[in-house]
Structure formats: C-alpha cells, structure tokens
Amino acid sequence: MAVANTHLPAPSRHAPGLTAVNRYHGFMATINEHYLKLKAGYLFPEIARRVEQFKAANPEQAPRIISCGIGDVTEPIPEAAQQAMHEAVDELGKRATFHGYGPPTGYEFLREAIIEHDFHAHGIDMSAGEVFLSDGSKGDCGAVLDILGPNNRIGITDPVYPVYVDTNVMIGRTGEADDAGRYAGLTYLPCTEQHGFVAQVPDVPLDVVYLCFPNNPTGSMITRDQLQQWVEYAHANDAIILYDVAYQAFISDSSLPRSIYEIDGATTCAMEFHSFSKNGGFTGVRCGYTVCPDALTAATSSGERVPLNKLWTRRWATKSNGVSWPVQRGAAALYSETGQEQVRALINHYMGNAKLLRKGCEALGLSVFGGEHAPYVWVKTPEGMTSWQWFDVMLEQANVVITPGSGFGSCGEGYFRISAFNTRSNVEEVVRRMGQLSRQPA
Ligand SMILES: *Cc1c(COP(=O)(O)O)cnc(C)c1O
C-alpha cells in the first residue's frame, strides 16, 4: 500500500529520506550523497555537447541548425494573458489595488475558474479546496515526494520524463544506477510498440506509479479502458497514481480521457498534475496546479489512513507563499472566452506542425507514432541504427537536432522524438531537408 510521510504530523528535525550518514558526520558540513548517484552524462547536456562540437567543426553550417529537440514552446503567450498580466502589474503599483501575500494554494478566482472549466465542464465533481496552484508541474512532480513515505515501491514507465526518476534518486528512494541507467529500487514498466507505448498493468504490487498521458516522450495516449485498468490496479494494491496531464490540451478525440478523474474511483487513488506551460505557452511565465482530492488517503506505518490533502495543504503553507499575483491573473485569463480561443489557436498551430512532421517522417519510409494527441512525434530509427547514430545523421546531414529515444530510458532505444514546438517555417524547412535525406541515403 502507499504510505504517507508520517513525519509531517509531528515534524522531525531530520529531513525525510536522508540516511544517518547525511545527518551528522562529525564536525563538517556534509552533502546529500544521493545526488552523487545521478547519472552525469544526462540527455540534454550530451545533445548540447554534440551540437557544439559539430558547430565548431562546421562553422559554415552552424547558422542552418534547427532544433526540434527540447520540449519548449516557441510562440508568444495569448493576448488575453498578456493583457491581464499588464493590468495586474499596474494594480501592484497602486495602494488601492496592491496585493501582498496571497493564499498559499492560490486565489479563489483562479481555483474556481479551474474547477469550472477543467472539471465541472467535463462532468467531473471537484472543489476548489482540492486544487493547489504552483509555479509549474515539474516542481510539483518532485515536491509530492515530501508527503509520501520513504519505502513506497515506485513504478516508472520506460521511456519516461526524467524528472520522475531523478527526484526519487535525489530524495534517497533508490540505490545506484546500473550500466543501462536503471536505478535499483525502482520498478520499470516497459512501454513498447506492441502496446502502443502504453504501460501495461504489472503483475507485481507497487505503491506509487507515475503515468503521463498524452505522453512525453512517445506522444502516445491511453484509452478510457486502459486507464480504468490502472485505477482498478491502484485499488487492488492500495496504490497511488501520480497522473501527469501537462499535454491535456492536445487531446483531439473527445472519447479519450482528459483527466484520470473521468474514471470512476480515481478520486480515492490519484493525484493529477496540470501545467499552463504547453497550452498557454507559459514555460517562461511559470504556472501549474495539482489536484489532491479530499477522498485520497494513504497509510501510516501502523496502518492508519491519512488524507493526503491535509498533508499537501500543510506542505504548501510551510514551504511556499504561492504564485505571484500577475501570473495568477494571467492564468485565469486563459480561461476567459477570448483566452480559450487563443489557446485553441496555439494548439492548432503546434498540431499542424506535428502533422507535417509525421508526413515528413513517413515520406522517409519510417514508422511514425504519436503526434496526434501530443506535440511529439515518436519515430523508429532506420533499420540497424541506434538512437544516437540517427541523431548524428540528422545533425550532420540535415542540420536538424532531434532527441534520441534512448535518452528517455532503455526501451526508447531505436526511436527518436521530434518536437512540434517550433515555428511553421522551421517545420517546413525540416521536412524539406528530410526529403533530401531520402534521396541521398547515408
Ligand atoms: C513540460 C512538462 C511538464 C510541465 O512542466 P512545467 O514545470 O509546468 O513547465 C510536466 N510534465 C511533463 C511530462 C512535461 O513534458
């Protein structure tokens, strides 16, 4: 069963998750040695290193390089959000409309807008007290470990958004990594082509499972039936699902679940992680939210049930003073009628890119996945090539930077991710260059 962090009701002097060695080691300051377990050659630094090396050796090609690598948005934020943030800054400049500290978990007006548009409009019963505003869901994915016990058995999909893994390593919930980069103590759930890159419910018990749909990096989407199976698994094993819906706005088929809470029984087994980064272009603004239902509980080591909402509320009140006034005003504006139209236009732009990229890869004769409910296209490398070999071909011959699938986990080997977060002209140029690749094979 999932176990709550029992330190919280009676706070301990010692940080949870640290070993005795870390706490006190004679007369010297010591570090959290779990950080030393993190793999050094991490994906994006390695990509940057290869790109820099190529630029240095081929300075004339350097200006031609187009990045379809890192998952950052390219288009400006919606006008409605800009306007609201301008007004909010002006309000801070006048005594009559000034705002100081806000509620640690977010202003009521924003939490109500979230409840109305993201839940009630889709027939999901949820209340503002179950919504927690934050500066983005990357931080939330790590922070949630604060309220969960140190001995939970953790399930991680492979390939995976690396944040779920590394935050568990940092807090001391794993052993060392093996040669394949898999950490002792984590249970890896392979996501293979055979099952549409959706993790299958395992036949071993786990306490906490991270799921992300639409998926980064594979762009895959889970069906209602498959998600139902996960909810049933969670109930059968008294487990908690941490459900990441950062790409929710990209779902283009209304029969697919936008939220895990569309599934009966999910309010007692799941937390959900939302972000305004990808729908509102807020990667540089920073805002997201978590949902921690009142009905969600986990056990103490003696078996008593504790509502996680209480611990999560306490965690926010202690460790944060919440999200800035202008940012919350900007996020709320995304829910206005004009804001919604402008968000839709942004999504359409990126999904138009995804469509072009899919076609470009298909024209090369490659097997193409994703890109239909997510801004990521997941592609099988040509026969006999590893992810990094194909990365080099794309860099050297097309001057296009992609992300090697193996960087997201060993099951990503033999695939690459191409991001649709780009300008239309860049995407058209990428597709044109890929067309030339096919005529001049490596
Ligand atoms: C982009 C992304 C997020 C959102 O991160 P923010 O901190 O809100 O910008 C969360 N999860 C996944 C899988 C992502 O790709």
Side-chain angles (χ1 to χ4, degrees):
M1 63 188 163
V3 176
N5 178 355
T6 48
H7 293 300
L8 269 177
S12 154
R13 220 160 57 77
H14 305 306
L18 301 188
T19 65
V21 177
N22 296 102
R23 285 179 198 145
Y24 185 68
H25 198 266
F27 297 103
M28 57 188 167
T30 61
I31 62 156
N32 175 354
E33 290 185 33
H34 301 303
Y35 277 63
L36 303 181
K37 295 175 192 163
L38 295 165
K39 283 188 296 152
Y42 173 64
L43 179 60
F44 291 106
E46 175 60 16
I47 290 176
R49 192 190 66 76
R50 291 192 188 213
V51 171
E52 285 315 307
Q53 191 179 332
F54 177 76
K55 281 182 178 171
N58 306 275
E60 74 296 345
Q61 290 179 54
R64 268 173 53 88
I65 292 179
I66 298 176
S67 176
C68 298
I70 293 180
D72 194 1
V73 298
T74 55
E75 304 308 296
I77 60 172
E79 184 74 32
Q82 287 178 52
Q83 248 174 34
M85 285 195 275
H86 278 304
E87 284 168 20
V89 170
D90 290 341
E91 286 157 6
L92 292 178
K94 297 187 196 82
R95 182 164 287 112
T97 50
F98 169 77
H99 283 75
Y101 288 130
T105 62
Y107 282 100
E108 201 69 15
F109 69 85
L110 178 51
R111 292 192 289 156
E112 289 295 348
I114 287 169
I115 288 299
E116 185 190 328
H117 289 91
D118 291 347
F119 298 97
H120 291 179
H122 301 280
I124 301 168
D125 187 22
M126 201 63 74
S127 68
E130 297 168 300
V131 169
F132 299 72
L133 266 297
S134 75
D135 66 344
S137 75
K138 187 185 204 178
D140 290 334
C141 291
V144 69
L145 295 177
D146 263 12
I147 62 163
L148 297 172
N151 298 319
N152 287 310
R153 292 162 295 185
I154 309 278
I156 295 281
T157 60
D158 179 0
V160 73
Y161 178 55
V163 175
Y164 313 146
V165 175
D166 289 357
T167 51
N168 273 284
V169 175
M170 288 172 168
I171 204 165
R173 287 180 195 178
T174 73
E176 300 288 340
D178 65 16
D179 290 342
R182 286 185 161 192
Y183 289 92
L186 298 180
T187 300
Y188 289 85
L189 307 166
C191 302
T192 59
E193 189 175 331
Q194 188 193 353
H195 294 111
F197 303 100
V198 172
Q200 300 298 105
V201 168
D203 50 17
V204 294
L206 296 170
D207 303 310
V208 176
V209 179
Y210 292 83
L211 295 178
C212 173
F213 291 104
N215 188 258
N216 178 9
T218 66
S220 62
M221 187 51 201
I222 195 165
T223 65
R224 205 172 286 272
D225 283 350
Q226 288 168 322
L227 194 52
Q228 175 82 48
Q229 286 171 27
W230 271 108
V231 168
E232 284 165 12
Y233 171 87
H235 281 295
N237 292 281
D238 199 354
I240 288 175
I241 297 172
L242 303 178
Y243 197 64
D244 186 339
V245 293
Y247 298 94
Q248 177 188 65
F250 296 85
I251 298 173
S252 63
D253 176 348
S254 58
S255 73
L256 295 170
R258 289 171 38 90
S259 162
I260 195 168
Y261 303 118
E262 289 181 25
I263 309 296
D264 279 343
T267 49
T268 51
C269 70
M271 274 180 77
E272 194 165 83
F273 297 74
H274 290 250
S275 171
F276 297 107
S277 284
K278 313 296 164 46
N279 67 335
F282 269 30
T283 55
V285 176
R286 310 305 307 137
C287 196
Y289 69 90
T290 53
V291 181
C292 187
D294 289 329
L296 180 64
T297 62
T300 64
S301 45
S302 56
E304 185 199 341
R305 308 299 304 191
V306 178
L308 286 181
N309 183 287
K310 281 216 168 64
L311 304 192
W312 196 227
T313 302
R314 181 60 194 270
R315 187 262 168 211
W316 279 97
T318 300
K319 291 199 175 182
S320 175
N321 278 315
V323 182
S324 78
W325 171 252
V327 167
Q328 293 197 55
R329 287 285 310 279
L334 296 176
Y335 290 105
S336 68
E337 210 170 300
T338 45
Q340 292 280 284
E341 278 168 27
Q342 291 161 0
V343 165
R344 195 32 54 202
L346 266 182
I347 302 293
N348 289 344
H349 165 78
Y350 293 125
M351 293 313 280
N353 287 351
K355 203 169 183 173
L356 292 173
L357 291 167
R358 279 186 60 100
K359 274 197 193 148
C361 293
E362 278 162 1
L364 272 181
L366 301 175
S367 301
V368 180
F369 308 92
E372 288 175 324
H373 308 290
Y376 298 120
V377 181
W378 183 248
V379 192
K380 208 167 182 164
T381 55
E383 189 69 36
M385 287 193 117
T386 67
S387 300
W388 279 111
Q389 282 168 342
W390 183 247
F391 172 90
D392 288 337
V393 169
M394 288 288 283
L395 176 60
E396 288 161 17
Q397 296 180 30
N399 301 148
V400 171
V401 180
I402 49 145
T403 315
S406 57
F408 297 104
S410 51
C411 293
E413 180 56 272
Y415 295 88
F416 66 95
R417 187 190 77 174
I418 184 158
S419 167
F421 287 130
N422 224 322
T423 61
R424 183 56 52 84
S425 59
N426 269 354
V427 166
E428 285 167 350
E429 178 62 13
V430 166
V431 171
R432 198 185 63 74
R433 291 187 200 168
M434 286 181 78
Q436 289 174 338
L437 267 188
S438 66
R439 281 186 287 279
Q440 300 162 3

